[in-house]
Amino acid sequence: MVLLTWIAEVADEPLVLEPADRQVEVETNTWWLSAAEGDRESLSVAEVAAAFERTAAAIRGRVRALGFPGVATFYVWHDEQAGQLRCSTGSVPPDALPFGGNYVACDDLGPVVEGFLTDGEAGFLARADLDDVRSHADETDTEPENAAFAVWVSSVGASH
C-alpha cells in the first residue's frame, strides 16, 4: 500500500502559494504518484479517495495556519499517458487550473481514481494502438482533438 503512504506524505511536502508566480506554485506543489507492483489490484477506489481527502484536509489546515487569505485549490487528475495520479495545490479557483488542455472540475474523486487503478498497462501504449497518420489523411476527425479529462478539486483556501 505504498501509494497510500505517498498520498499522505504530499500533505507534509513544501507548499508555496504565490499568486504572482504561478509557475513556482506548479513546480513546488505538483506531485506524480505511481503504484507499486500489486498496489493497483489490492487497493480500492474508496481507500485511495479517502487518502486524498485526508491530504486535502491537512493542506487546508496548513493553508489556514499560513494565514493565506485567498482562494486555493487542491486538485487530483489521472495522467493516462504517464500512467500516474498527479496532484497539486494552487492559488486559483477550480475553473482556472494551470492545464493547457480541456478539463472538467468535479467533486467526485471516484472516476479519477478508478481510471488509474484499472489502467492495466499504465504508461504503456501498444504499437498496434498507434494511429497510422497516412490512414487518417483524408478522413474528417469526429472526436475533439483535446477531449476534456476529469480533475477532482477541493477548496483549501480561506475564500472560495
Side-chain angles (χ1 to χ4, degrees):
M1 310 280 181
V2 174
L3 179 62
L4 299 180
T5 301
W6 289 339
I7 294 168
E9 289 175 352
V10 167
D12 297 322
E13 293 295 336
L15 178 65
V16 173
L17 295 172
E18 187 57 56
D21 194 345
R22 298 281 160 71
Q23 189 59 37
V24 168
E25 286 184 349
V26 169
E27 290 171 6
T28 305
N29 301 340
T30 303
W31 300 98
W32 300 263
L33 305 167
S34 298
E37 187 73 30
D39 264 7
R40 287 180 200 269
E41 298 80 17
S42 63
L43 289 170
S44 71
V45 170
E47 288 173 307
V48 176
F52 275 118
E53 289 167 0
R54 287 189 299 273
T55 295
I59 290 172
R60 185 176 303 110
R62 287 182 65 195
V63 169
R64 293 196 174 135
L66 289 170
F68 182 76
V71 172
T73 304
F74 176 72
Y75 51 103
V76 178
W77 71 101
H78 173 210
D79 183 328
E80 292 182 35
Q81 289 180 325
Q84 299 169 332
L85 279 172
R86 296 193 178 181
C87 62
S88 192
T89 305
S91 60
V92 294
D95 63 352
L97 299 177
F99 290 111
N102 298 325
Y103 70 94
V104 176
C106 62
D107 60 4
D108 183 3
L109 186 52
V112 174
V113 172
E114 184 174 12
F116 170 75
L117 291 178
T118 59
D119 189 356
E121 295 187 9
F124 175 78
L125 186 59
R127 184 173 179 86
D129 291 339
L130 295 173
D131 286 337
D132 181 352
V133 176
R134 292 170 299 195
S135 70
H136 293 291
D138 297 325
E139 295 178 20
T140 302
D141 208 357
T142 57
E143 291 185 27
E145 206 170 285
N146 294 320
F149 58 97
V151 178
W152 178 73
V153 297
S154 179
S155 174
V156 294
S159 31
H160 299 279

